[in-house]
């Protein structure tokens, strides 16, 4: 939103809210929180499906950061199971400090921080009861 401070933008997530405690997925609504070098943003996730992530506009989730490849990774959502698959990106994908090999999806826990290039990413539950 032009002219509005980022702190008032509903899509802006302050890095202080980026909590990385692993929790069981309750099956409720979830969001992907992306914390880059220039901004942070939350994306509401569907209950299931495959979401392409990268810099190119054809991706389901576009991340405009130099360490992100045009077609970087795919997030696989199957009920409460979440995996991330690297697509042969230049700067890699890491889960729990381990490199995710292209074509070999790695499990990601709810609340677990993972990295796409130099971008920190977290999947968390959405608490609609808070106002």
């Amino acid at each position: 939103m032009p002219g509005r401070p980022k702190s008032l933008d509903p899509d802006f997530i302050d890095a202080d809210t980026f909590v990385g405690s692993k929790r069981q997925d309750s099956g409720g609504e979830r969001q992907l929180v992306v914390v880059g070098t220039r901004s942070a943003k939350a994306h509401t996730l569907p209950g299931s499906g495959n979401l392409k992530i990268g810099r190119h506009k054809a991706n389901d989730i576009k991340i405009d950061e130099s360490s992100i490849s045009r077609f970087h990774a795919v997030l696989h959502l199957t009920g409460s199971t979440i995996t991330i698959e690297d697509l042969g990106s230049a700067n890699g994908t890491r889960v729990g400090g381990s490199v995710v090999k292209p074509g070999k999806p790695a499990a990601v826990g709810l609340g677990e921080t993972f990295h796409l290039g130099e971008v920190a990413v977290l999947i968390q539950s959405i608490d609609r009861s808070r106002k």
Side-chain angles (χ1 to χ4, degrees):
M1 294 178 194
R4 290 183 76 179
K6 285 190 181 220
S7 61
L8 297 179
D9 184 340
D11 290 330
F12 179 78
I13 303 294
D14 188 301
D16 291 337
T17 66
F18 194 61
V19 179
S21 61
K22 259 186 159 177
R23 294 184 305 274
Q24 284 294 100
D25 188 352
S26 62
E29 287 186 279
R30 300 172 292 198
Q31 65 183 358
L32 183 78
V33 180
V34 179
V35 181
T37 58
R38 295 178 286 194
S39 66
K41 187 167 184 178
H43 304 268
T44 301
L45 296 174
S48 63
N50 300 317
L51 300 172
K52 293 177 278 182
I53 304 171
R55 273 193 351 261
H56 195 275
K57 66 182 178 182
N59 288 289
D60 300 302
I61 298 175
K62 184 176 180 294
I63 302 174
D64 190 21
E65 292 279 343
S66 61
S67 68
I68 299 291
S69 293
R70 290 184 316 127
F71 299 97
H72 196 103
V74 177
L75 187 67
H76 300 283
L77 305 165
T78 309
S80 63
T81 302
I82 305 166
T83 60
I84 188 75
E85 177 182 359
D86 189 86
L87 296 175
S89 65
N91 293 308
T93 300
R94 295 179 315 283
V95 176
S98 297
V99 173
V100 177
K101 293 182 181 177
K104 305 270 187 189
V108 179
L110 189 64
E112 180 177 14
T113 303
F114 62 99
H115 291 84
L116 303 174
E118 297 303 315
V119 175
V121 183
L122 169 79
I123 299 171
Q124 64 182 19
S125 294
I126 299 173
D127 184 358
R128 298 278 184 204
S129 65
R130 292 184 351 181
K131 298 208 178 204

